[in-house]
């Protein structure tokens, strides 16, 4: 069975994984039940009292051992999903590809998985297509469950029966050495699920671990397999990469390991273009400020992030079109649409974000039009705030943009009269009065009527 798991001799790694359990007793590790959520503890105890094995597993054990405070807690057990449901009233079964029990305590959801086996019993419960794992519902032993997890440090089990930590594949040693090591034969495991390459980069970034050489070695060869990963899954993984508080480190890891080009091809291309330096500055500023917001528990939006990731590709394309004589508004709208369509082939960005992203882009050239009527109109635009925040991030692009950003910063704090006076020359007094007073409140109804579907918003700069 071990050979089947890719532990066979054709692998080049020094295999640290004979299946021999190592137990770290309660007194010798730092996991305290105080740092485990009430919901997770209740599920663990209940399963155990009912005579089942129950372990905390995965990222929570890893992070607790490293002194972190995990937000979600995964549990592994030898009870089947149906048996788990029998024990908890507040339980529902989810997932087809990977069947799980969710036990719900108010806002907390505790995920309970039955040990996964590794053998294909021919029932179709474990199903590979072209080496890809599309269904994984064969139950097995804890040893087998450990082997089918992704990284050694993710395969540690905290046993609620005696509070010890079980290690079947050298996860403890790798944890101490800050090493992220894929379990099994790397080629086989990445072919089963190419997203594991992104998980490697993300976890190395989050934990500040080094990726073991044999774990990183296949990236260049197998990275293109990410092109076949489901775009919806890549969207979820992108959010984990960039909106979990380690976005800047994740971005650097994706670049170091040459994985960015498989998920964000246009971004990677622009990072090699003549404007690479200023684009890199924009991205680093975006990730750093997003990380800060996440850590301060402030809201963050994926729209802003994707707007930054694709900004230079869109800008370059719009400017090339304009240089060829295309009308500016048309150029911005068509560049936005094309870059979004290209990105959608890799990462499925939900519609509600796609519209916001395109608005942030097409509002950028409008900041340059400091004509009174347009200034008031832009200030009352529903997407003004996001577009202005984006302008601030861009302001390092050039001294002229820094000045422009400062102008818009003060435009917001000035009272309406003072702002109106800041424009020269002033139109006749009567008109003047009416254009000062009404914005932004009285303009809104008009804007609303004018607002059409995202495509028509896309032509905003020409107004
Ligand atoms: P974090 O929660 O910090 O993102 P995590 O390791 O907990 O990291 P999850 O996505 O919550 O990541 O997965 C929980 C556990 O499930 C992992 O620790 C790992 O053991 C297992 N796992 C997740 N994804 C895979 C995968 N693609 N292949 C194999 N095992 C996986
Ligand atoms: Mg987790």
């Amino acid at each position: 069975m071990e050979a089947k798991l890719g532990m066979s001799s054709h692998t080049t790694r020094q295999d640290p994984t004979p299946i021999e359990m190592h137990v770290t007793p309660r007194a010798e590790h730092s996991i305290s039940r105080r740092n485990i959520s009430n919901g997770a503890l209740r599920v663990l105890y209940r399963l155990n009292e009912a005579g089942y094995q129950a372990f905390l597993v995965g990222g929570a054990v890893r992070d607790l051992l490293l002194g972190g405070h995990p937000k979600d807690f995964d549990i592994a057990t030898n009870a089947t999903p149906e048996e788990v449901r029998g024990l908890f009233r507040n339980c529902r079964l989810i997932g087809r590809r990977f069947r799980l029990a969710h036990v719900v305590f108010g806002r907390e959801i505790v995920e309970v998985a039955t040990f996964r086996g590794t053998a294909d019993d021919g029932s179709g419960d474990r199903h590979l297509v072209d080496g890809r794992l599309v269904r994984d519902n064969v139950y097995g032993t804890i040893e087998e469950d450990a082997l089918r997890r992704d990284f050694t440090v993710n395969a540690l089990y905290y046993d609620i029966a005696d509070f010890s930590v079980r290690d079947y594949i050298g996860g403890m040693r790798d944890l101490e050495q800050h090493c992220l090591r894929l379990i099994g034969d790397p080629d086989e495991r990445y072919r089963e699920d190419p997203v594991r390459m992104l998980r490697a980069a993300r976890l190395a970034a989050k934990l500040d671990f080094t990726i073991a050489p044999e774990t990183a070695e296949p990236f260049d060869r197998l990275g293109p397999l990410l092109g076949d990963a489901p775009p919806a899954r890549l969207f979820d993984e992108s959010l984990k990469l960039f909106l979990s508080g380690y976005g800047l480190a994740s971005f650097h890891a994706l670049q170091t390991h040459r994985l960015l080009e498989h998920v964000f091809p246009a971004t990677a291309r622009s990072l090699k273009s003549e404007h690479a330096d200023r684009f890199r500055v924009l991205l680093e500023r975006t990730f750093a400020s997003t990380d800060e917001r996440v850590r301060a528990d402030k809201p963050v939006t994926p729209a802003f992030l994707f707007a930054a990731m694709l900004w230079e590709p869109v800008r370059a394309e719009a400017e090339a079109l304009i240089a060829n004589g295309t009308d500016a508004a048309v150029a911005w709208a068509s560049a936005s649409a094309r870059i979004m369509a290209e990105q959608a082939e890799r990462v499925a960005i939900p519609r509600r974000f796609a519209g916001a992203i395109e608005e942030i882009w097409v509002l950028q050239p409008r900041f340059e039009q400091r004509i009174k009527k347009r200034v008031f109109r832009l200030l009352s635009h529903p997407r003004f705030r996001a577009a202005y925040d984006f302008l601030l991030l861009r302001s390092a692009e050039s001294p002229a943009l820094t000045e422009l950003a400062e102008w818009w910063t003060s435009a917001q704090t000035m009272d309406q009269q003072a702002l109106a006076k800041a424009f020269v020359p002033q139109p006749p007094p009567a008109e003047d009065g009416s254009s000062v007073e009404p914005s932004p409140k009285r303009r809104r109804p008009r804007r609303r009527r004018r607002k059409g579907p995202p495509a028509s918003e896309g032509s905003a700069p020409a107004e």
Side-chain angles (χ1 to χ4, degrees), residues 190-211:
Y190 290 138
R191 282 182 200 282
E192 268 178 12
D193 180 7
V195 175
R196 287 175 182 148
M197 290 182 266
L198 297 180
R199 289 180 55 86
R202 172 168 71 82
L203 291 173
K206 168 178 165 170
L207 306 172
D208 196 15
F209 275 25
T210 313
I211 303 181

Side-chain angles (χ1 to χ4, degrees), residues 147-164:
L147 286 174
R148 50 149 293 286
R149 290 185 179 269
D150 47 7
F151 304 102
T152 61
V153 296
N154 282 351
L156 295 166
Y157 297 75
Y158 173 80
D159 188 348
I160 200 66
D162 63 3
F163 314 118
S164 66

Side-chain angles (χ1 to χ4, degrees), residues 57-60 62-63 70-74 199 202 206 240:
V57 68
R62 177 196 73 212
D63 292 350
K71 288 207 187 76
D72 51 79
F73 294 86
D74 295 330
R199 289 180 55 86
R202 172 168 71 82
K206 168 178 165 170
K240 288 192 182 180

Side-chain angles (χ1 to χ4, degrees), residues 172-202:
M172 274 297 203
R173 193 187 52 193
D174 285 337
L175 196 80
E176 279 158 21
Q177 297 179 353
H178 289 193
C179 173
L180 197 69
R181 189 188 310 278
L182 192 68
I183 297 168
D185 174 55
D187 269 57
E188 190 180 324
R189 301 300 315 278
Y190 290 138
R191 282 182 200 282
E192 268 178 12
D193 180 7
V195 175
R196 287 175 182 148
M197 290 182 266
L198 297 180
R199 289 180 55 86
R202 172 168 71 82

Side-chain angles (χ1 to χ4, degrees), residues 106-123:
R107 287 170 59 191
E108 186 186 0
I109 296 176
V110 179
E111 212 167 87
V112 185
T114 306
F115 297 141
R116 255 33 179 202
T118 43
D120 188 343
D121 62 2
S123 66

